[in-house]
Amino acid sequence: MAVSKKEALLQAAKDLFGECGYNETTFKKIAERADVAMGLMTHHFGNKEKLFLACGLDVLENFHRKLSEATSCAPDGRTAIYNYCKAYLDFSIDPSTNWLVLVRCSPYSDMKTSADRDIMIEKFMQIHAVLIDAIKRGLEDNSIAKVDPVQTAIIIVSLMVGVNRTRVLTPYAPEHFYEEALDFVIRAVTPGNA
Amino acid sequence: MAVSKKEALLQAAKDLFGECGYNETTFKKIAERADVAMGLMTHHFGNKEKLFLACGLDVLENFHRKLSEATSCAPDGRTAIYNYCKAYLDFSIDPSTNWLVLVRCSPYSDMKTSADRDIMIEKFMQIHAVLIDAIKRGLEDNSIAKVDPVQTAIIIVSLMVGVNRTRVLTPYAPEHFYEEALDFVIRAVTPGNA
Amino acid sequence: MAVSKKEALLQAAKDLFGECGYNETTFKKIAERADVAMGLMTHHFGNKEKLFLACGLDVLENFHRKLSEATSCAPDGRTAIYNYCKAYLDFSIDPSTNWLVLVRCSPYSDMKTSADRDIMIEKFMQIHAVLIDAIKRGLEDNSIAKVDPVQTAIIIVSLMVGVNRTRVLTPYAPEHFYEEALDFVIRAVTPGNA
Amino acid sequence: MAVSKKEALLQAAKDLFGECGYNETTFKKIAERADVAMGLMTHHFGNKEKLFLACGLDVLENFHRKLSEATSCAPDGRTAIYNYCKAYLDFSIDPSTNWLVLVRCSPYSDMKTSADRDIMIEKFMQIHAVLIDAIKRGLEDNSIAKVDPVQTAIIIVSLMVGVNRTRVLTPYAPEHFYEEALDFVIRAVTPGNA
DNA sequence: GATGAATGAGGCTTCATTCAT
DNA sequence: CATGAATGAAGCCTCATTCAT
């Protein structure tokens, strides 16, 4: 068998959570798409929330890797920030990443078990950490203005969250919206602008 | 009776949609909190989605009014933009506004009827329009840099969306986060920074 | 309507719990026998355990009334004890009393919620109390031997439990088994036998 | 390996049937406690009911042996009866005997296959037979009153059933309850009391 | 307008049992 | 003998919605 049934299940779940959101994604839909029995889900993942957690973490891990790669190859801090944002936005519109899982489902609302939520929160922290490092690097090599790394990182990530939601959830995003957003970020951190 | 049963119902619904999200908010919970019969819900509002629509529009109308007031009293365009963002963020953390209705429930996921969704989208457009006007004013009175009003408005709103989600849904927001975000916006539109 | 649907539901549940035991009695079976929708069960009784509690208490209340009547009309304590045991055994083989609910289902095993179990335990205590009072009466009017009323009551009830189970659950009970059991009890409490 | 996997399975099953009852005891729980694979269950025992039968018979065989030993060493019939009851009650509160298997699970409700049930019933008959023999012995050596051996045996066993249930399932049993019950039995069979 | 009993489809989950390895 | 992934029927319960009063 090319992929195990467990993998097929996880992929089907990622697809459906991203397409339909948490509540509209039913065990039946997942089982049908993965072509396995319904009971296999609780067998492998325990329950719906744990399955969602597995999906979310899977996406976040790939995301984290992409962001790390993008920043580590940058020649300076400012470029690292740019690369981070670019990688973020690219990832968010690449259908193969199942990014929508994290947009259509809310780790903060759909996960009722606080232990599971904490795992997710921890993973998100790592995403922030990559950007914080990039900003610190920029401060050291003087490629960006003097800003507070943590505050700035969270604002930039928030901007990414916002523009991404605007693009994938609403009809308001104009052409070249992502490019503009990248400009906006760089403008805000470039020395001489503060 | 001070408030009509219909009003009590709408208020209970706004509270619960904001607290629990769309799916976890049931007719029974709403009826109990409003202390009315379940059947009164469909009687007055038709169905759950229409009730949610009524809640969302109610919040959005108050939101729109607040934003309009905030921009109209500004002495110049740049201040209008600042006031807009300030009013946005203030509104979002004022419990009496039931803002969470729009955060915990997604007009894009929870509303299955496209007609209802269109009404909501139209209302959101008006929110954007207020900021676009403020930016145009800033371009005319030269209080801001030369930017594309629509692009910039959507990016700023996206930033508001992002920082708001960070603040009300996650544990990542540091102290003075909203103030920093306001600075970030002003920095990005002030002439000489572009 | 002669009987309300809620009453029909309770009766069907009593019948089925007695016939099939707790686990083999399903919502579907009950709903079908009562000819109502499945959802009406949780609407009226909350959940399966609460429904079972309602059944058990209903049977126990009738039981308690029968035992009280039987003892109160006795001319002396010894007869009161006899009447109690007779009423107990008669009740246990009268199909219209739904006694089997308490034999086929175990209030001690099938009720997972301790609050519910406590309610049941309390009700059983009242059953014991009736016999304790009869024994005390016998001690006062000297119609029985000097025995400890509580100890003796619990042993007699235990005997009732045992002979009842033997009769309704096993194939071992010979003819006139209940009469023999009554003799056995009276023999053990009659003065001059101790 | 000290114990075979089959033995480990049987022991785990006896423990769990006694702790949780028939329905709450799942193959998964048993397999986990015995630390063997689930599939080994059906492999060795066929199905759940057969496994339960094996557990019940195992307990009953030990029980039968204990009762036989207790009566055979008695100097007279009355003592044999006493020893029987004492052994019964001692067995019922010795955790190592897994007696609870026969209390928490009902051979009459939980075994749907009548063939299996018949095997169990037959085994229970042997339990009765031991007491019937003791009573007959008492009639022969005049250590007890003139009673019908079968009737009396079944009543005494019923009493054992009842007091045992009172002790292990309910909170009603007072101190020295078992001693009192033994007295009660002896009082009822001692000559001069009838 | 107002009530809440009644409906029934559908969701998540459990679990004995099978079977390929 | 041993494993545990896989199955699928069935259970309990939820809940928006209807309707007679």
Side-chain angles (χ1 to χ4, degrees):
Chain A
M1 199 183 316
V3 298
S4 73
K5 299 220 170 190
K6 187 175 178 181
E7 286 164 329
L9 221 32
L10 191 66
Q11 187 56 52
K14 286 193 291 184
D15 289 346
L16 284 162
F17 279 131
E19 281 172 34
C20 314
Y22 188 81
N23 282 284
E24 304 305 310
T25 298
T26 67
F27 270 37
K28 208 175 166 213
K29 279 185 189 171
I30 301 175
E32 272 166 13
R33 180 163 312 197
D35 199 30
V36 302
M38 277 184 65
L40 202 56
M41 256 136 148
T42 50
H43 178 69
H44 281 307
F45 296 95
N47 59 28
K48 189 180 176 180
E49 185 169 314
K50 288 268 189 288
L51 172 58
F52 171 59
L53 181 64
C55 291
L57 289 180
D58 190 64
V59 173
L60 276 180
E61 256 143 45
N62 293 332
F63 189 44
H64 185 256
R65 183 155 21 81
K66 276 278 166 56
L67 295 174
S68 297
E69 286 167 15
T71 53
S72 64
C73 70
D76 60 81
R78 197 172 70 130
T79 310
I81 295 169
Y82 178 87
N83 286 2
Y84 179 96
C85 294
K86 178 109 181 47
Y88 191 120
L89 298 176
D90 284 348
F91 193 92
S92 77
I93 52 175
D94 178 350
S96 74
T97 64
N98 288 106
W99 172 256
L100 284 179
V101 168
L102 299 175
V103 177
R104 282 264 155 69
C105 307
S106 169
Y108 305 104
S109 297
D110 293 329
M111 301 190 26
K112 284 102 199 174
T113 309
S114 62
D116 292 342
R117 209 163 40 224
D118 289 346
I119 296 172
M120 208 77 150
I121 286 172
E122 165 65 21
K123 199 77 201 167
F124 270 114
M125 292 257 191
Q126 298 177 13
I127 304 296
H128 284 153
V130 176
L131 180 56
I132 292 171
D133 286 347
I135 295 174
K136 284 180 177 164
R137 207 176 135 199
L139 290 171
E140 280 163 23
D141 65 17
N142 289 311
S143 59
I144 63 167
K146 300 280 167 277
V147 295
D148 178 81
V150 172
Q151 289 263 13
T152 307
I154 298 178
I155 288 179
I156 291 176
V157 168
S158 295
L159 180 58
M160 296 296 105
V161 167
V163 298
N164 175 235
R165 292 185 78 84
T166 297
R167 167 115 182 221
V168 301
L169 291 179
T170 82
Y172 312 125
E175 274 207 66
H176 306 301
F177 181 56
Y178 271 3
E179 287 90 324
E180 283 287 328
L182 288 171
D183 277 1
F184 190 93
V185 170
I186 289 305
R187 216 186 302 156
V189 296
T190 297
N193 290 357
Chain B
M1 199 183 315
V3 297
S4 72
K5 300 216 167 188
K6 186 173 178 181
E7 285 165 331
L9 223 33
L10 191 67
Q11 187 56 50
K14 285 193 292 183
D15 288 346
L16 284 164
F17 280 131
E19 280 172 34
C20 315
Y22 188 81
N23 277 282
E24 305 302 309
T25 298
T26 68
F27 272 35
K28 207 173 168 218
K29 277 186 191 170
I30 300 174
E32 272 166 13
R33 180 163 312 197
D35 199 31
V36 301
M38 278 180 65
L40 211 54
M41 231 121 196
T42 47
H43 182 69
H44 280 309
F45 296 96
N47 61 30
K48 188 178 179 181
E49 186 169 312
K50 288 270 190 284
L51 172 59
F52 171 60
L53 181 63
C55 291
L57 289 181
D58 190 64
V59 174
L60 276 180
E61 255 144 46
N62 293 331
F63 190 45
H64 185 257
R65 184 155 22 81
K66 276 279 166 55
L67 296 175
S68 297
E69 287 168 14
T71 53
S72 64
C73 70
D76 59 82
R78 197 172 69 131
T79 308
I81 294 170
Y82 178 87
N83 286 2
Y84 180 97
C85 293
K86 179 108 181 47
Y88 190 119
L89 298 177
D90 284 347
F91 193 92
S92 78
I93 52 175
D94 178 350
S96 73
T97 64
N98 288 107
W99 172 256
L100 283 178
V101 168
L102 299 175
V103 178
R104 285 263 155 71
C105 307
S106 169
Y108 308 105
S109 296
D110 296 327
M111 301 191 24
K112 285 103 198 175
T113 309
S114 62
D116 292 341
R117 206 161 43 226
D118 289 347
I119 295 173
M120 208 78 150
I121 286 172
E122 166 62 22
K123 197 78 202 165
F124 269 114
M125 292 262 189
Q126 297 176 15
I127 304 296
H128 283 151
V130 175
L131 180 57
I132 293 172
D133 285 347
I135 296 175
K136 283 181 176 162
R137 212 177 130 197
L139 291 172
E140 280 164 22
D141 64 19
N142 289 310
S143 57
I144 64 167
K146 301 280 166 278
V147 295
D148 178 81
V150 172
Q151 290 264 14
T152 305
I154 298 178
I155 287 180
I156 290 176
V157 168
S158 295
L159 180 58
M160 295 298 106
V161 167
V163 297
N164 174 234
R165 293 184 75 86
T166 297
R167 167 111 182 225
V168 301
L169 292 180
T170 82
Y172 310 125
E175 275 206 67
H176 306 300
F177 182 55
Y178 272 4
E179 287 92 323
E180 283 286 329
L182 287 171
D183 277 1
F184 192 91
V185 170
I186 290 304
R187 216 186 301 155
V189 297
T190 298
N193 291 356
Chain C
M1 200 182 315
V3 296
S4 72
K5 300 220 168 187
K6 186 174 178 181
E7 286 165 331
L9 221 32
L10 191 67
Q11 188 55 51
K14 286 194 291 184
D15 290 346
L16 284 163
F17 279 131
E19 282 172 33
C20 314
Y22 188 81
N23 281 286
E24 305 304 311
T25 297
T26 66
F27 271 36
K28 207 175 166 211
K29 279 185 190 170
I30 301 174
E32 272 166 12
R33 181 165 308 198
D35 198 30
V36 300
M38 279 183 65
L40 202 56
M41 259 139 142
T42 50
H43 178 68
H44 280 307
F45 297 96
N47 60 30
K48 189 179 177 180
E49 186 170 314
K50 288 267 188 287
L51 173 58
F52 171 59
L53 180 64
C55 290
L57 288 181
D58 190 62
V59 174
L60 276 180
E61 255 143 46
N62 292 331
F63 190 44
H64 185 256
R65 184 156 18 83
K66 276 278 166 53
L67 296 174
S68 297
E69 286 167 13
T71 53
S72 64
C73 69
D76 60 79
R78 198 172 68 132
T79 310
I81 295 170
Y82 179 87
N83 285 2
Y84 180 97
C85 293
K86 178 106 179 53
Y88 190 119
L89 299 176
D90 285 348
F91 193 93
S92 79
I93 52 175
D94 179 349
S96 73
T97 64
N98 288 108
W99 172 256
L100 284 178
V101 168
L102 299 175
V103 177
R104 284 262 156 71
C105 307
S106 170
Y108 306 104
S109 297
D110 294 328
M111 302 190 24
K112 284 104 198 172
T113 310
S114 62
D116 292 343
R117 207 162 41 224
D118 289 346
I119 296 173
M120 208 77 151
I121 285 172
E122 165 64 23
K123 198 79 201 163
F124 270 114
M125 292 259 188
Q126 297 177 14
I127 304 296
H128 284 153
V130 175
L131 180 56
I132 292 172
D133 285 347
I135 295 174
K136 284 181 179 165
R137 212 177 130 196
L139 291 172
E140 279 164 24
D141 65 17
N142 289 310
S143 58
I144 64 166
K146 301 280 167 278
V147 296
D148 178 80
V150 172
Q151 291 262 13
T152 307
I154 298 178
I155 289 179
I156 291 176
V157 168
S158 294
L159 180 58
M160 295 297 105
V161 167
V163 298
N164 174 236
R165 291 185 77 86
T166 298
R167 167 112 182 225
V168 302
L169 291 180
T170 82
Y172 311 126
E175 276 206 67
H176 307 299
F177 181 55
Y178 271 4
E179 287 93 323
E180 282 286 329
L182 286 171
D183 277 2
F184 191 91
V185 170
I186 290 305
R187 214 187 303 156
V189 297
T190 297
N193 290 358
Chain D
M1 200 182 317
V3 296
S4 72
K5 302 217 168 189
K6 186 173 178 179
E7 286 165 329
L9 225 30
L10 191 66
Q11 188 55 50
K14 286 193 290 183
D15 289 346
L16 284 164
F17 280 131
E19 281 172 34
C20 314
Y22 188 81
N23 278 282
E24 306 303 311
T25 299
T26 67
F27 271 36
K28 207 174 169 216
K29 279 186 191 169
I30 300 174
E32 271 166 14
R33 181 164 312 198
D35 200 29
V36 301
M38 279 181 63
L40 212 52
M41 232 121 196
T42 47
H43 182 70
H44 279 309
F45 296 96
N47 59 29
K48 189 178 178 181
E49 187 170 312
K50 288 268 189 286
L51 172 59
F52 171 60
L53 182 65
C55 291
L57 288 181
D58 189 63
V59 174
L60 276 179
E61 255 143 45
N62 292 332
F63 190 44
H64 185 256
R65 181 155 24 79
K66 276 276 165 57
L67 296 174
S68 298
E69 287 167 14
T71 52
S72 64
C73 70
D76 60 78
R78 198 172 68 131
T79 308
I81 294 170
Y82 179 87
N83 285 1
Y84 179 97
C85 293
K86 179 110 180 48
Y88 191 118
L89 298 177
D90 285 347
F91 193 92
S92 78
I93 52 174
D94 179 350
S96 73
T97 64
N98 288 107
W99 171 256
L100 283 178
V101 168
L102 299 175
V103 178
R104 284 262 156 70
C105 307
S106 169
Y108 307 105
S109 297
D110 294 328
M111 301 189 26
K112 285 104 201 174
T113 310
S114 62
D116 292 340
R117 207 161 42 227
D118 290 346
I119 295 173
M120 208 78 151
I121 286 171
E122 165 63 21
K123 198 78 201 165
F124 269 114
M125 292 260 192
Q126 297 177 16
I127 305 296
H128 284 151
V130 176
L131 180 56
I132 293 172
D133 285 348
I135 294 173
K136 284 182 177 162
R137 209 176 134 200
L139 290 172
E140 279 164 22
D141 64 18
N142 289 312
S143 58
I144 63 166
K146 300 280 169 277
V147 295
D148 178 80
V150 172
Q151 291 263 14
T152 306
I154 297 178
I155 288 179
I156 291 176
V157 168
S158 295
L159 181 58
M160 296 297 106
V161 167
V163 298
N164 174 235
R165 293 185 76 83
T166 296
R167 168 113 182 223
V168 301
L169 292 180
T170 83
Y172 311 123
E175 275 207 65
H176 307 300
F177 182 55
Y178 272 3
E179 287 91 323
E180 283 285 327
L182 288 170
D183 278 2
F184 191 93
V185 170
I186 289 305
R187 216 185 302 155
V189 296
T190 298
N193 289 358

